[in-house]
Amino acid sequence: MNPAQLEWFRARLLDMLKACREELRGLRSEKSGFDSSGDEADAAAAREIDFRDAAKAALISARCEEIEAALRRIDSGEYGWCEETGEPIGLQRMIANPLSRFSLEAQARREAMSRLSKSH
């Protein structure tokens, strides 16, 4: 990948990170609106919403971490290179998923191995 392409990806990843952090902030600022004067059903519903929001926040936080890791790979010169084979991932794959860490072939092998280990 040439320097101009890397800078394009850096800008895209920074935009993704900004959106991710904004989504996380928005989620954390929302409250379930639990009113202690409600009945048990209201309390259960509020707990369910809180649980769902916590799970969603964990997923968004993990995505932010993935984006930050991709930015670190750009800085270290490892971005766009397969972590398994050391081969280039491919520009089209990187455009489709800027967080890709593996070539299409390596990812397919990893998923096949995962399916095999789950079936045993």
Side-chain angles (χ1 to χ4, degrees):
M1 215 176 289
N2 68 42
Q5 291 168 327
L6 285 172
E7 285 310 307
W8 184 85
F9 279 108
R10 181 187 307 280
R12 185 164 179 206
L13 288 164
L14 288 170
D15 287 344
M16 290 170 63
L17 184 58
K18 180 181 176 187
C20 188
R21 287 178 175 164
E22 286 173 2
E23 186 177 4
L24 194 55
R25 273 192 299 275
L27 188 62
R28 288 179 176 161
S29 69
E30 293 175 5
K31 299 289 182 197
S32 66
F34 174 63
D35 181 0
S36 61
S37 64
D39 62 14
E40 283 184 41
D42 290 340
R47 283 192 301 274
E48 179 64 27
I49 290 169
D50 288 344
F51 178 76
R52 184 196 66 218
D53 287 349
K56 187 174 180 181
L59 288 173
I60 295 168
S61 184
R63 180 148 175 91
C64 288
E65 290 173 15
E66 283 184 70
I67 296 167
E68 290 166 345
L71 288 164
R72 286 191 299 275
R73 288 194 301 277
I74 288 176
D75 292 339
S76 69
E78 299 170 357
Y79 188 79
W81 296 92
C82 179
E83 291 181 10
E84 184 175 300
T85 66
E87 297 294 320
I89 291 174
L91 195 54
Q92 293 304 316
R93 179 162 167 76
M94 295 305 297
I95 290 170
N97 180 5
L99 303 177
S100 295
R101 296 173 30 226
F102 303 99
S103 67
L104 191 57
E105 297 79 15
Q107 185 67 39
R109 277 193 304 274
R110 294 173 67 81
E111 289 171 5
M113 294 299 290
S114 176
R115 283 191 299 273
L116 281 175
S117 67
K118 288 179 183 176
S119 68
H120 287 101

